[in-house]
Amino acid sequence: MKRHGIKRGLTLAAIGAIVSALFVAVGPTAGPATAEAPVTVTNPSFESALVGGSIPGWTQPYGSFTLSSDASDGATSVEVVDTSATSAAGLLSVPVAVTPSHNYRLVVDSRRIDTAGNVYMRYFDANNALISSSVATLSGGVGVWSTTTLAFTPPAGTVTASVLLYIGVAPVGSIRFDNVRILDDGLVRNSGFETPLAGGVIPGWSVAYGVIGDFQTSGTQKLTGNASLRMIDGSATAASGLISDAVAVTAGARLRVTAGVFKVTGAPSLFVRFYNAAGGQLSNQSVGYATVPNSWDDLAIDVVAPAGATSLRVLLYSGSTTITEAFFDDVTVAPQLTEEMSAGTPLYTVNSAISEVTTTSGGDQVAYVASYGSPARISQIDAITGELLQSSTLPGSGGAWGLAVGPDDSVYIGGLSSGQLYRWVPGSGNAVQLGAPVAGEIYINAVSVDQATGVVYGGTFPNGHLFAYDPAIDETQPFAAAITDYGQAISGATYVRSVEVTGSKVYAGTATNAGLAVLDIPSQTITPIALPTELTGSAFAYGLTAAGGYLFVRAETPGKAAAMKLDTGAWTVLGDSFGLFPSPVNDDGEVYILGEDAATLIVFDTVTGTTTTVSMPEDVANMRKPGWIEIPGDADFPGQTLSWVSTVGRLHHFNPTTGELRILETEVAQEPATIHDLTATPDGDVLMTKFVAGGVTSYNPDTAALTNHATKVGQVEGWVHDGSTTWMSSYTKSSIWEFDRAAAVTSSNPKKLFDLESAGQDRPMALTGLADGRLAVGTVPVYGALGGAIAVFDPSTSPVVPTVYPAPVADHSVVALTSRRESGTDYLFGGTSIDGGLGSVPTATSGVVFKVDPDDGSVVWSVSPIAGERAFPDVTIGSNGNVWAIGTGTLVELDPATGATLRTLQIAPVSTAVTWIGSSVVSDGAGTLFVHAGKRLFAVAESDLAVYTVATGVDVVAMDFADDRAWVGRNATLSWIDISAL
């Protein structure tokens, strides 16, 4: 159901031909255009079965051998045995093609049983005559697996090279060898800093500024491989810089220079310097500074070699006025085979998690809207017109979930990421950052104000604390003195998700297992309250609201509302609810709650304790802290009108008397919206969805026209196209939508087909089509839960009823799916994550790749091909028919019949964070894989795993092979890359 177009042939030789045209013979002339591409060694881990007593891919020129189940990689190693003190023992690999004067590394794992040994690279000419050899002594002590690295540059005349695993003439004993690989360092010698130091010098590099002590190789942080460069610039008056050996270039060559950088402190940067034949410097260009601390990022610059240029050198640098600690890895110089064009910042939105409609002490009807941004913002708008009255930023916070108004009209806001509490007094200027009430807590999820005393109560994440802030104390004493930390509201709860104060009680709703607790203010004791049976087992207790003598609570997920009579503790279950908050009580003693379909309101009469419903003309998506207002002179809205602001900043008015619903755009400032995901459609447009705010927006690359299609669709996680129809999976509730792109957007287009809330599933991370017209979705469960699912459905049926199977591996989430037809039968191939819903604790250590029969959910095979990879967020079927899976940093090729690992390629760091997304792989159907990992987009040749870095700093990507485009999202910006040259 997804189209594929062009035929391309990315291989080591193809890239080498392009490189040869741009670089001259003084330096390297062929090879992959980025570091760390492997040169294929046959049977490198000795997993192939013996053939006639011989090891495939290897010969036995000396001594004897045996296969061993003691292995560093896979299931088997080879043990070379030397029983004679007068002869040697060794294995010689089948020759591989290499390029003279190019930079390579031989990397071999070995366990010395009881003797010393060596590894050699032997170089042969076109007549297979030995030219010379390079050698390294095996590292590590006796009895332990160790890794030996031999950096080598084949001499002139070399055509092929072989690896020799060797025990010398005199020693007697045995050594086990495994995982033999030859890595191509590309155009920059020792680009990954894997080569051991020689006399305290880093091979391939020299000190340009500072002293050699400023630089060292380190295994503490590494982008790929086993090591990186650590730079420590401890001077605020002198610079530090390490510069590469010269890379020969041709004037006019368009080049891309990149380096991975892990910034700890300071301002690590990258410079490119061009030189003429006499060694004179012609230019000096920089890419700027790494800005993100404590994570790997990319420094990248596209340059053109100036007239007269014969070489370039790469400078890794820290300026004279900065103190810097940073790690560098994978420095690359590559031909710029692609061109990137900007499409600007296409998405803007009001992205609000919390708002409140209220009446000020002066009688003004207003709404307060806290919206995401850099920084976040709090706005006051007219609750009748949507006009912006005033606003303020929230310095240090990117958003807010908690918001409440005090008796003096002060607005209190709980910050996200910063754990800060803010106070804003409308009319006084900017909001004040009061401080962090509870050390170590990063979110303040909820706040409520005691209208009698002005004391603020709040709840936190990730340790679920309940706290109080007394502004009267804060006026005369330090902020800390105004804080009372009551500790965890419920033992083990990670969130206090909702807080409501009424009288002498403070109620706290918790997660990730929904709970309710009450704080008695005079005694400062916290007591748990049992939720009704219908709400137990839910993830969150949201929307606590005291109204009409009741405490209202909404549990999610699943979404159900209930009311507890405050004087008796008796519960009334109100039914399925979408929420999040109920209304205050109106003049008739009624409380309104948004129903499950988001178009029905549950009406609870607090006088009689009875429930009725009222319908609205359309689905309103969500409701945050609504309020009752009066709209003078409007016959359609007589008496009290229910008013609220949606998560995208739209002001809603609903009048229960007339049934009229009005939705107004407001003047709340829109911010650039992060592109959460995107896809290329068969007609060449791009569909995008916003982070958190969701919705669907299309971009036409020919006209640059933007069209908002579906604001009611949540944050989209998966897309499948067939002609003008697009199916989408969205968060929350693992909802599935069908969208006819050729038809007008209406209340039924897009239409929701179903959701998986009843199956306990929340995030539908994977969506794929089968050849027979069915679709399948893979999911992550609700907050606090482990165990995703696969749901298979036929979109042509009415109603659409999915068949739901549990995840192929217990306690795993299903985060990747693709399909393949074999002998007339469709199969699903997918990947899992060990992570469940937020707040859950994994029981496994490694994600799996699997094959499933969609007809009955039976598992054909499931494997964990890379130990420690916590997820495989994407899978694809290659042009060779094999399964390719990308982990957080490792690309794996698997046999579709058995799941056996065929080849692996580490392409980015392996992540240890909670992982559902972040990497992807797609085949163009013609021999090239496009892999997104570690914020880089790579083109990888299936034939020999040659790698080209297409783009850096990438957050999301979508491939359009028919139009030769890779669409790239970086936070809020969109661009496309011409991939026709690949």
Side-chain angles (χ1 to χ4, degrees), residues 377-424:
R377 180 173 292 275
I378 177 70
S379 300
Q380 183 194 61
I381 63 172
D382 188 305
I384 297 176
T385 66
E387 175 190 359
L388 178 65
L389 302 177
Q390 51 192 315
S391 69
S392 169
T393 59
L394 301 174
S397 182
W401 267 98
L403 184 153
V405 182
D408 60 352
D409 295 332
S410 292
V411 183
Y412 292 91
I413 308 104
L416 300 185
S417 301
S418 63
Q420 297 286 317
L421 181 66
Y422 298 83
R423 178 173 58 214
W424 183 48

Side-chain angles (χ1 to χ4, degrees), residues 129-449:
L130 180 64
I131 299 173
S132 62
S133 299
S134 301
V135 62
T137 301
L138 294 180
S139 62
V142 171
V144 296
W145 280 104
S146 303
T147 300
T148 300
T149 299
L150 170 62
F152 66 93
T153 303
T158 300
V159 175
T160 61
S162 292
V163 180
L164 176 62
L165 311 176
Y166 187 72
I167 300 175
V169 173
V172 173
S174 60
I175 301 173
R176 292 174 189 148
F177 294 93
D178 203 358
N179 198 16
V180 179
R181 57 266 194 209
I182 298 173
L183 299 179
D184 190 319
D185 271 343
L187 302 168
V188 179
R189 185 184 174 207
N190 195 18
S191 62
F193 305 97
E194 302 288 336
T195 306
L197 272 63
V201 175
I202 298 173
W205 298 82
S206 56
V207 176
Y209 301 92
V211 297
I212 189 62
D214 295 347
F215 312 97
Q216 55 188 263
T217 56
S218 171
T220 304
Q221 300 291 343
K222 58 264 190 186
L223 185 58
T224 58
N226 298 308
S228 66
L229 171 74
R230 184 184 185 192
M231 172 190 288
I232 303 176
D233 177 5
S235 172
T237 58
S240 293
L242 195 70
I243 196 164
S244 72
D245 288 353
V247 174
V249 299
T250 301
R254 295 171 60 242
L255 308 171
R256 178 166 297 154
V257 181
T258 67
V261 61
F262 187 100
K263 168 187 166 180
V264 180
T265 59
S269 59
L270 179 148
F271 284 76
V272 179
R273 293 178 171 179
F274 286 97
Y275 299 85
N276 60 23
Q281 183 175 315
L282 299 176
S283 66
N284 185 34
Q285 302 178 56
S286 73
V287 72
Y289 308 115
T291 58
V292 180
N294 298 314
S295 66
W296 281 103
D297 204 351
D298 284 298
L299 295 175
I301 184 171
D302 289 339
V303 294
V304 177
T310 60
S311 66
L312 71 74
R313 302 177 80 181
V314 180
L315 174 66
L316 310 177
Y317 184 75
S318 169
S320 60
T321 61
T322 58
I323 294 176
T324 296
E325 180 182 1
F327 299 84
F328 292 90
D329 205 355
D330 288 1
V331 182
T332 72
V333 177
Q336 187 184 337
L337 303 182
T338 58
E339 185 176 4
E340 184 168 339
M341 277 68 71
S342 174
T345 304
L347 303 180
Y348 286 81
T349 189
V350 175
N351 192 348
S352 171
I354 190 67
S355 55
E356 181 173 357
V357 174
T358 188
T359 300
T360 69
S361 59
D364 295 324
Q365 299 178 124
V366 299
Y368 294 101
V369 182
S371 53
Y372 287 85
S374 299
R377 180 173 292 275
I378 177 70
S379 300
Q380 183 194 61
I381 63 172
D382 188 305
I384 297 176
T385 66
E387 175 190 359
L388 178 65
L389 302 177
Q390 51 192 315
S391 69
S392 169
T393 59
L394 301 174
S397 182
W401 267 98
L403 184 153
V405 182
D408 60 352
D409 295 332
S410 292
V411 183
Y412 292 91
I413 308 104
L416 300 185
S417 301
S418 63
Q420 297 286 317
L421 181 66
Y422 298 83
R423 178 173 58 214
W424 183 48
V425 180
S428 67
N430 290 327
V432 176
Q433 182 173 314
L434 297 172
V438 183
E441 299 298 273
I442 60 174
Y443 290 179
I444 297 178
N445 294 298
V447 290
S448 180
V449 183

